[in-house]
Amino acid sequence: MLHLPEFWKSLPKESELRDKYAPPVEFKVQWVFPWAAGVLGVVALVTGGVAAGILLLAGGVGMGFWLSTRARAAEDARARWSRSWICRRCPATFLREEGLAA
């Protein structure tokens, strides 16, 4: 039984297992679009475009929620990967708390 991140680092570059056990991709959140939609929504509300303002504000909030959910899921996947172990007898990966003592 080996710690998965250490096992992955020990694999040679040309190993096909390197892709299989690679860490999950880090998700970079770009907050520019939700902020821009929110600012444009406020500007539209102030200038009299109520429907456009509400639509832009709702879109900005929705996009922000969606981005934060994806970022949280990516962080959880990376944390799970960093806590995972791999069995050398079988290709199973598991968390230590989920493993059974033999």
Side-chain angles (χ1 to χ4, degrees), residues 4 7-9 11-25 81:
L4 184 58
F7 173 72
W8 181 75
K9 289 176 188 174
L11 292 172
K13 298 279 186 205
E14 59 275 353
S15 175
E16 56 192 42
L17 293 177
R18 197 156 173 83
D19 291 336
K20 181 178 180 181
Y21 296 115
V25 179
W81 180 83

Side-chain angles (χ1 to χ4, degrees), residues 33-61:
F33 294 118
W35 278 105
V39 169
L40 287 175
V42 169
V43 169
L45 283 173
V46 169
T47 58
V50 175
I54 291 173
L55 185 63
L56 283 168
L57 282 174
V61 168

Side-chain angles (χ1 to χ4, degrees), residues 66-100:
W66 178 72
L67 286 174
S68 66
T69 303
R70 285 198 54 193
R72 192 175 320 112
E75 288 174 15
D76 291 345
R78 290 184 65 82
R80 183 178 175 85
W81 180 83
S82 68
R83 293 188 337 261
S84 293
W85 291 79
I86 184 168
C87 177
R88 294 292 288 160
R89 292 185 181 205
C90 64
T93 59
F94 56 91
L95 296 174
R96 180 174 285 275
E97 57 267 16
E98 293 173 353
L100 299 174

